[in-house]
Amino acid sequence: MPLNIDWQQILLHVLNFTILFAVMYFFLFKPVKDFMEKREASYQKKHDDAKKALEDAEKTKAEYESKIAAAEEEISVMKSEAGAKTAEERNRVLEQTRADAQNILETARKRGEIEHDKIIAEAQKEIADIVTTATEKIVLSADVKKSYDEFLKSAEGNLKNE
Amino acid sequence: MSKKRRIVSVVVFAAILLVILTGIVLLGKPAPRPESLSETMRDAVLHESMKVSLFGLMDVNPGLISAFAVTGILTVFALICRIFVIPRFKEIPGKFQLVLETLVDLFRNLAKSNSPEKNRVLSAYVFTAGVYIFVGTMFELFGFQAVTTSGASISLPAPLADINGAIAMGCLSYLFILVGGIANNGWHGFLGTIKEFSLPLSMSFRLFGALLSGALVTELVYYTMALSFIVPVLVGVLFTLLHALIQAYVLTLLVSMFYGEVSEKKLQKPKRRKKKQIKEETTDNNTITPEVSK
């Protein structure tokens, strides 16, 4: 053969390399590769778990935030309702009080008028009585001057009594 | 004072070294060589006279002995790793674990990037081939000795500097690509590989040429006594290291590229349909155009 190529030796080289391939594959390449793949898978799992947990947390957070917002809205509605109710109550009480005051005033005025009328009526009655009595006395005594004085005195006395 | 003393001591040390070196160069006589330079060169290529006995069974080129030695070394290394190192692998790798992982990852990525579809066997093959070529070429540096059939001592060369080793590697890689193509792509893979019929030749001779030329240059340098100081550090170590890396990279890259090309699933082109469609379209156009023209 040219260049001293020897097929037997080529085959021996091939055999040598094949053995080396088997050895390297089973003792070095495969175990290292398996280890690396296992580690990669475990990290991938960790990563996925973390991502899932984060997503769940985000979801829960959003849920709570919406709940809080709803609660705040409710509170504000309740507050405004309470405010309106209070104002209404106050107005009602005020109105009531005003009406009561008006009533009292009215009653007092009416009573005052009645009293006034009564007093005047009594006074007139008394005056009339005095006049009658005086007239009776004047008529009976016929002493005009005396009677006149008598009349004045009794009138004075009546006034003092009053 | 101390500075002066230091300078003096350095100068004295350098002078002593220089004297010793010149003494060696001037007084040393090269050991009597069994061959002349041209014979050495010729033998490095053809391995006519320097044969080594393989366990007394047959006489083989020293490259084959080197190949067995490299396989032995790598086997021991792999076994040690498998028994003592890999069971103690940790989640966060230590230094040696990192080296192993980087090595495996390097070849896996090479296989993955060049052959994205099928790469399980390819990555293992490329890993083995890369490690074999690198370690085999570096093996040359250690200068393990063997005794030839004529009784002379010879330092074992790189396994792939032997033409038989290089042909074995090139043809095996071609066969591997062929098998991969057939397994993954059937008839198309077979044809795709056969198309590259010059591949085994080019791969074999690339390896052989690169490693042999490295060996020859080193041999030439070593042959001259005066050049065997300091220069071998550059020529021997750096050249060997460089072409060990380059050859390992080139062969693995080529194998993974061709493998990827051959095992790639090709989309079947719907040729008949296209023709039919084109025909229909043209007939439509023909029927429409006269109406338009009318």
Side-chain angles (χ1 to χ4, degrees), chain B residues 66-123:
Chain B
S66 307
F68 287 155
V70 169
T71 301
I73 291 168
L74 282 176
T75 306
V76 170
F77 175 74
L79 277 175
I80 288 172
C81 284
R82 183 72 192 89
I83 295 166
F84 296 112
V85 182
I86 293 173
R88 292 180 204 164
F89 267 14
K90 288 167 195 160
E91 283 271 299
I92 296 154
K95 277 177 194 166
F96 189 61
Q97 187 186 343
L98 199 64
V99 170
L100 286 182
E101 281 184 9
T102 313
L103 207 62
V104 169
D105 229 22
L106 182 78
F107 289 108
R108 273 181 80 200
N109 286 339
L110 184 74
K112 243 183 226 173
S113 59
N114 285 303
S115 171
E117 289 175 17
K118 303 272 180 181
N119 51 36
R120 251 189 74 234
V121 190
L122 175 67
S123 55

Side-chain angles (χ1 to χ4, degrees), chain B residues 197-209:
Chain B
F197 60 87
S198 65
L199 198 62
L201 209 67
S202 72
M203 279 203 287
S204 307
F205 281 84
R206 181 180 295 112
L207 274 175
F208 178 57

Side-chain angles (χ1 to χ4, degrees), chain A residues 3-14 16-21 23-33 35-37 39-40 42-43 46, chain B residues 46-48 58 60-61 64 67-68 71 79 81-82 86 89-91 97 101 104-105 108 120 123-125 127-128 131-132 162-165 167-168 172:
Chain A
L3 286 171
N4 278 352
I5 294 168
D6 185 348
W7 291 107
Q8 202 178 18
Q9 286 189 37
I10 290 175
L11 277 182
L12 277 172
H13 270 287
V14 170
N16 174 55
F17 187 79
T18 314
I19 292 168
L20 182 68
F21 177 77
V23 167
M24 291 303 265
Y25 181 69
F26 287 111
F27 292 144
L28 199 60
F29 186 76
K30 198 165 174 280
V32 174
K33 193 187 75 172
F35 176 81
M36 282 161 75
E37 275 172 358
R39 186 177 54 192
E40 198 180 323
S42 84
Y43 274 115
K46 272 182 198 169
Chain B
L46 297 176
H47 301 288
E48 277 168 334
M58 54 186 288
V60 295
N61 295 347
L64 187 61
F68 287 155
T71 301
L79 277 175
C81 284
R82 183 72 192 89
I86 293 173
F89 267 14
K90 288 167 195 160
E91 283 271 299
Q97 187 186 343
E101 281 184 9
V104 169
D105 229 22
R108 273 181 80 200
R120 251 189 74 234
S123 55
Y125 182 84
F127 173 75
T128 312
V131 169
Y132 177 64
D162 179 5
I163 191 163
N164 297 325
I167 288 176
L172 195 63

